[in-house]
Structures are given as structure tokens and as C-alpha cells.
Amino acid sequence: MAKTRHAELGISDEQALEIYETMLMARRLDERMWLLNRAGKIPFVVSCQGQEAAQVGAAFALDRRRDYILPYYRDLGVVLPFGMTPTDIMLSSFGKAEDPNSGGRQMPGHFGQKKNRIVTGSSPVTTQVPHAVGIALATQMENKDLVTFVTFGEGSSNQGDFHEGANFAGVHKLPVIFMCENNQYAISVPAHKQLACERVSDRAQSYGMPGVTVDGLDPLEVYQVVKEAADRARRGEGPSLIETMTHRFTAHSSDDDQSRYRSTDELEKMQTEDPIMFFKQYLTDNGLLDEAVDKEINDRVMKQVNEATEYAENAPYPDPNTILNFVYAAETQGE
Ligand SMILES: Cc1ncc(C[n+]2csc(CCOP(=O)(O)OP(=O)(O)O)c2C)c(N)n1
Ligand SMILES: [Mg+2]
């Protein structure tokens, strides 16, 4: 019998199901956040929905015990496999003291968790790219066997930070992977009004690195190219640029209404191209998933989403007396 696609990539049946469960966890957490936002319980949501395959496929191709990641605000599907828990995510959404990202200070989506090598980002888009390149330079100088992985949207790939970072990484052959999650919009601006070249990956050539565009609705395709890029980086052959073609199922954020700038036809067609439905079909066709197993996975995910919501909702807010922590140096410092 011919090998399945995941087996050809060295992914076991259990891992394939784990990829599916992680994609589902990202989706269900995200959906819960929208409900909480609409109920007036959390202030803001910026979604991963439609991009889960690209995110989870990429994360599984990295060394999750060693590599550094610099995710952008939609990357729920990257940070979950790197060890951030559903409870961590909910604590951040509710702005509670125990939020590992910032102790309830940052906007949701600004992921950062030292113990899991998730490097915090700033709100100006693409600032994470030069940070990633700097980390890759440090690991090269220190001869460390680890790869740095950074993501950004296609709109963000027009910022100077992307070009400076990619050029420096190309010149110095740094072990860094640039992954663009091209969801075809930067808030309300469609891709054709953002880029003069056809693909974001076309830009790789200018910076002396391979560039590929892949189907970001298929976690296995993304896994394959990120794995190749990671192997390349570990061999000392330098950076890679990967563009994953995805969908943004929701509006830009909970403060946006995409029906103002996308047609009903476009939105309806997009709903038929759901990465989770596609991967579920793949697993079913290959005998890994049936209704009973799918229900078991869904139930497990929903139990965790419910528990995380309840815990975070009941957790304490930061003490107002700590409001200036991490803003100014402590008085004793520098004395
Ligand atoms: C330097 C900078 N300019 C503008 C903004 C406002 N802004 C936030 S997200 C965004 C769109 C980014 O689009 P893209 O990179 O395609 O990512 P997506 O949200 O589509 O995933 C903009 C313009 C910002 N945060 N930083
Ligand atoms: Mg975009």
C-alpha cells in the first residue's frame, strides 16, 4: 500500500491527530474569545481563524524544546504547540494578573513567555523581524544548535524592518526562518494594492535565500517546507522565506467589520475553504479519524476551553499598586 502523505514526511498517525487537535483548540479558543467579547467580558480579539493549518503545521516542524519563536498577533496555533496553555491565553484575554505574557498589561495577541522561548513583540507590525535576526546572529556567534522562527502578515512584509532583517540574515547566512501568513488583506487593503510583485516569496531572491509559496490551508505542506528550512538553517546554509496562502475568516479584529469592504460572494466562498475541514477530511480518508474519535477530540478540546474560561474569569486582576512595574526601573536600580 502506498504511504500516506504524513507518513512520507515522518509524521506518525498520533502526531497527525495531535496536529488536528491543536488546530481545533486554536479555533475553539478563538471562537470562545469572540463570544466573550460580544458579551462585554473581554475587550479585544484578533483572530487566528483560517490560518491554523499554517501555524500548527509550522510549529510541529520546529524543535519545540529548543527553537526560538517570534510570533505575530494571530499565532495562537504557533504558541499553543510551543507550550502556552489555553488557560494562559484566557488569562491574557481577560487581562488578569497571572497572564504570562504581561501580567494583564498588554493587548491580547502580544505573546511572550520566556520559559517556552516565545519572544514578546511590539504593536508596530514587523518589529519582530529584526529581533529574530538578532537572536539568530547571537546563536550563530555562540555556535548554538537552534533555529529562530518569525512570522508576519503580507502587509507587514512591506515594512522596512522586513527588508533590513531579511537582507542582514541573507548576507550573514543566519539560522532564521521568515514565514509570511498571507491572508490576502491588511485590515481593509487587499493584497493587490499592497504588493507590486506577484508573491511575497519573490522577494527572497533579492536577499540571497530560497523563497517558496505554499498552500497554507494544508498543515502537511507547511510542515514540509518549514522542516526543510529548519534543516537548512541547522546545516549552516542560512535563512529561508516561506509564504503560506491562508484566509482571514474573521474581520481584522473585534473592532472591525469586514462586510464593509469584502463582498458576500467572497466571504461565502472563503467559508468553503476551511483548513480544519480539509484536514479532517484527509484524516478520515486515511482511516485515522471517524465520528467517534472526532467527538472524543472535540469533547476534550471543549472541556479545556470551558475550564480555561472559568479559571481566567474568576482570577484576580493585577493589583493597581503594581501599575508602574516594568514601565520604570525600580528605585533601587542604578544606585
Ligand atoms: C508599523 C505599523 N503600522 C500600522 C499598524 C496598524 N496595523 C495593525 S495590523 C495592520 C495590518 C497588517 O496586515 P498584515 O501584515 O497583512 O497582517 P494580518 O493582520 O492581515 O494578519 C496594520 C496596518 C501597526 N500596528 N504598525
Ligand atoms: Mg494580511
Side-chain angles (χ1 to χ4, degrees), residues 28-45 89-90 93-94 254 305 308-310 312-313:
R28 296 286 180 256
L29 268 173
D30 202 286
E31 289 170 346
R32 172 60 55 83
M33 290 192 279
W34 279 89
L35 285 178
L36 292 166
N37 175 264
R38 285 341 193 204
K41 293 191 174 188
I42 64 171
F44 184 75
V45 190
I89 300 293
M90 279 298 170
S93 297
F94 278 94
S254 51
V305 172
T309 309
E310 199 179 319
E313 192 168 2

Side-chain angles (χ1 to χ4, degrees), residues 20 23 27 49-54 216-219 247 249 273-280:
Y20 175 66
M23 287 168 61
R27 174 72 58 92
Q49 292 186 44
Q51 301 181 203
E52 298 93 339
L217 304 178
D218 178 358
H247 288 309
F249 276 172
E273 296 177 357
D274 182 334
I276 294 185
M277 297 315 297
F278 286 159
F279 199 49
K280 180 176 168 180

Side-chain angles (χ1 to χ4, degrees), residues 134-335:
I135 293 172
L137 176 65
T139 58
Q140 187 193 56
M141 289 167 75
E142 292 176 2
N143 251 326
K144 287 198 172 138
D145 178 24
L146 60 87
V147 166
T148 301
F149 174 75
V150 60
T151 55
F152 46 90
E154 83 295 336
S156 303
S157 77
N158 304 307
Q159 289 277 131
D161 306 64
F162 166 76
H163 296 276
E164 292 172 36
N167 187 55
F168 192 90
V171 168
H172 297 282
K173 291 205 175 311
L174 299 180
V176 53
I177 302 169
F178 302 98
M179 189 174 99
C180 174
E181 296 180 32
N182 185 343
N183 59 16
Q184 302 155 61
Y185 279 87
I187 310 187
S188 57
V189 182
H192 70 91
K193 290 191 183 169
Q194 302 174 39
L195 290 125
C197 55
E198 198 184 330
R199 296 176 183 284
V200 172
S201 63
D202 293 340
R203 294 172 160 173
Q205 199 191 359
S206 319
Y207 304 122
M209 67 182 84
V212 288
T213 299
V214 294
D215 179 4
L217 304 178
D218 178 358
L220 300 180
E221 225 180 274
V222 179
Y223 177 96
Q224 180 171 5
V225 291
V226 173
K227 183 82 176 43
E228 281 165 12
D231 290 346
R232 208 179 109 72
R234 288 186 219 286
R235 286 195 305 266
E237 292 169 23
S240 305
L241 174 61
I242 293 164
E243 177 184 21
T244 57
M245 300 306 294
T246 66
H247 288 309
R248 193 191 77 195
F249 276 172
T250 67
H252 173 72
S253 74
S254 51
D255 296 338
D256 177 39
D257 173 5
Q258 64 179 345
S259 69
R260 302 283 298 271
Y261 53 86
R262 296 178 85 173
S263 71
T264 312
D265 280 358
E266 181 186 334
L267 292 172
E268 277 174 4
K269 179 170 181 296
M270 177 174 67
Q271 290 301 330
T272 66
E273 296 177 357
D274 182 334
I276 294 185
M277 297 315 297
F278 286 159
F279 199 49
K280 180 176 168 180
Q281 194 61 54
Y282 170 86
L283 295 172
T284 308
D285 292 347
N286 286 287
L288 272 65
L289 196 68
D290 58 20
E291 286 210 358
V293 178
D294 195 34
K295 182 174 180 324
E296 204 182 293
I297 293 174
N298 263 285
D299 289 350
R300 192 159 55 227
V301 165
M302 285 317 296
K303 185 168 179 284
Q304 286 179 74
V305 172
N306 289 334
E307 286 171 0
T309 309
E310 199 179 319
Y311 183 90
E313 192 168 2
N314 293 316
Y317 284 108
D319 176 352
N321 292 321
T322 67
I323 196 165
L324 296 180
N325 286 9
F326 318 120
V327 177
Y328 298 109
E331 268 175 31
T332 48
Q333 279 181 16
E335 281 179 2

